[in-house]
């Protein structure tokens, strides 16, 4: 069963039908929403849908959970899968799943599928993250949802009891978590090399020879800085692999766990490499700008001489 008729509910129904499940959708306006769902899915009123299903995906907002209280008697003994997310990290004192469980104590609530997007559900697990994070206080209910996730083509990950629901709900709200350290690393390297090149190309000539070379800052200084950052970050891509190989040779085994700092370094190699390529591409663009800036300056000088 699927309660709701939004984008996620429709994508979920499509994926369940394609995986061979019998799906019944509960909506407040079934006649108007029926055309949005696959023909194999039965679209009816919420009360009728709840009666026909043992596992129910609650695909509605937290603010609308209270509208289901009239169905409390019919929901007794059902498995409710909370797929909701929040708009802010730790927006509420308790997670949405815990709040749903408090409203329906006679039901078994499982948190899951909230880290999977509607697009991934429609296009299949091959086009997105295959992991489905699941948590609940009932082991049997978790096993049931894990089996459903596997049939749908996803990889269920048991995150423990319901107290983990808050952590799971915060995961989609973190913007590019794997890029945080590489981006700060790239910015730090850029500031260091930019400061050095600024002193060398602009400040030092001005102090020693009284030459004003401020015009070099926006293009030449930046263009000198970018390849330095690119080369250093490229070396940081290959260095952890060398250190890992040395560690394995030293201990004589490849089954020994790497230190945490080296393990994190190895996991961020892809992001560091992409940022290195980005700096190299910017360097190429800035290099094309150099002759245009110089020709423009010479044109101004030539015009002044003719005047």
């Amino acid at each position: 069963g699927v309660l709701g008729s939004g984008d996620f509910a429709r994508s979920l129904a499509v994926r369940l039908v394609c995986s061979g499940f019998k799906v019944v959708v509960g909506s407040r306006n079934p006649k108007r929403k029926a055309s949005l769902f696959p023909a194999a899915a039965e679209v009816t009123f919420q009360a009728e849908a709840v009666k026909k299903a043992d596992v129910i995906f609650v695909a509605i907002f937290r603010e609308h959970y209270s509208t289901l209280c009239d169905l409390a008697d019919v929901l007794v003994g059902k498995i409710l899968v909370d797929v909701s997310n929040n708009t802010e990290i730790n927006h509420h004192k308790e997670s949405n799943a815990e709040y749903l469980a408090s409203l329906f104590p006679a039901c078994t609530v499982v948190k899951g599928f909230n880290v999977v997007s509607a697009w991934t559900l429609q296009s299949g697990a091959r086009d997105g993250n295959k992991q489905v994070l699941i948590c609940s206080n009932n082991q049997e209910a978790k096993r049931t949802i894990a089996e459903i996730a596997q049939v749908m083509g996803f990889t269920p990950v048991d995150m423990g009891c319901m107290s983990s629901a808050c952590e799971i709900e915060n995961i989609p709200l973190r913007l590019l978590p794997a890029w945080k350290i590489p981006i700060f690393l790239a910015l730090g390297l850029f500031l260091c090399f930019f400061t050095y090149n600024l002193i060398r190309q602009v400040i030092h000539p001005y102090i020693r020879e009284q030459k004003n070379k401020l015009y070099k800052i926006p293009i030449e200084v930046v263009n000198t800085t970018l390849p330095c950052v690119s080369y250093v970050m490229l070396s940081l891509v290959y260095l952890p692999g060398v250190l890992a190989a040395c560690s394995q040779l030293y201990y004589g085994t490849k089954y020994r766990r790497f230190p945490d700092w080296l393990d994190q370094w190895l996991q961020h190699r892809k992001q560091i490499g992409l940022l290195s390529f980005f700096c190299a591409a910017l360097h190429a663009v800035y290099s094309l700008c150099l002759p245009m800036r110089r020709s423009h300056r010479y044109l101004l000088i030539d015009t002044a001489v003719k005047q």
Side-chain angles (χ1 to χ4, degrees):
V2 179
L3 295 180
S5 54
D7 292 339
F8 192 86
R10 294 197 294 269
S11 301
L12 185 61
V14 170
R15 194 67 195 157
L16 287 168
V17 168
C18 293
S19 301
F21 291 98
K22 293 181 179 179
V23 179
V24 55
V25 179
S27 174
R28 288 175 294 180
N29 300 294
K31 292 184 178 180
R32 191 173 64 182
K33 301 293 184 180
S35 60
L36 301 175
F37 290 87
E42 180 185 354
V43 182
T44 181
F45 290 99
Q46 290 182 343
E48 293 296 323
V50 169
K51 292 178 182 178
K52 296 180 179 181
D54 295 324
V55 177
I56 301 168
F57 291 85
V58 183
I60 61 178
F61 292 110
R62 175 191 174 112
E63 293 75 18
H64 300 155
Y65 285 174
S66 57
T67 61
L68 302 177
C69 291
D70 295 336
L71 307 174
D73 295 336
V74 189
L75 287 171
V76 174
K78 308 282 187 178
I79 297 178
L80 302 182
V81 184
D82 179 69
V83 300
S84 64
N85 284 313
N86 294 311
T87 55
E88 300 177 9
I89 294 179
N90 297 326
H91 186 58
H92 302 282
K93 292 182 179 180
E94 60 180 353
S95 66
N96 295 347
E98 291 172 320
Y99 174 62
L100 183 64
S102 66
L103 292 178
F104 303 99
C107 300
T108 303
V109 177
V110 179
K111 185 71 186 183
F113 287 89
N114 68 302
V115 298
V116 180
S117 66
W119 169 256
T120 301
L121 287 170
Q122 286 185 357
S123 56
R126 64 185 181 279
D127 290 335
N129 186 5
K130 295 185 64 175
Q131 290 186 342
V132 172
L133 308 183
I134 299 172
C135 73
S136 176
N137 292 332
N138 189 296
Q139 292 294 332
E140 188 63 30
K142 278 196 295 185
R143 190 178 300 109
T144 301
I145 303 305
E147 291 174 356
I148 293 176
Q150 283 182 329
V151 175
M152 294 172 67
F154 295 99
T155 303
V157 179
D158 190 347
M159 298 293 290
C161 58
M162 188 60 71
S163 58
S164 302
C166 187
E167 178 187 353
I168 297 176
E169 291 174 4
N170 287 336
I171 289 176
L173 300 176
R174 297 190 178 98
L175 180 63
L176 302 174
W179 288 83
K180 186 175 181 180
I181 295 177
I183 287 176
F184 280 125
L185 176 64
L187 290 176
L189 288 172
F190 182 85
L191 288 175
C192 291
F193 283 111
F194 182 82
T195 303
Y196 171 75
N197 290 319
L198 179 67
I199 295 173
R200 184 171 179 268
Q201 299 182 30
V202 179
I203 298 178
H204 184 263
Y206 180 78
I207 294 176
R208 295 295 299 271
E209 304 173 10
Q210 298 299 314
K211 292 182 179 180
N212 187 356
K213 296 187 177 183
L214 293 176
Y215 63 89
K216 290 187 174 183
I217 294 178
I219 295 183
E220 288 193 26
V221 176
V222 174
N223 193 45
T224 309
T225 302
L226 287 172
C228 300
V229 177
S230 179
Y231 276 125
V232 172
M233 295 198 69
L234 186 62
S235 66
L236 293 177
V237 173
Y238 292 100
L239 182 57
V242 176
L243 295 177
C246 292
S247 174
Q248 291 175 346
L249 290 173
Y250 178 79
Y251 290 106
T253 177
K254 64 178 182 179
Y255 299 106
R256 183 185 178 91
R257 180 176 174 83
F258 296 125
D260 290 338
W261 61 271
L262 182 57
D263 186 55
Q264 290 291 324
W265 194 354
L266 289 167
Q267 292 180 23
H268 287 103
R269 284 183 298 175
K270 180 174 71 174
Q271 289 78 14
I272 295 174
L274 290 173
L275 287 174
S276 173
F277 177 77
F278 175 72
C279 292
L282 279 182
H283 172 58
V285 173
Y286 270 83
S287 297
L288 293 175
C289 295
L290 278 174
M292 290 189 288
R293 184 185 63 76
R294 287 172 177 168
S295 63
H296 181 69
R297 187 168 77 238
Y298 296 149
L299 181 62
L300 290 177
I301 294 174
D302 185 56
T303 304
V305 170
K306 288 181 179 180
Q307 284 295 114

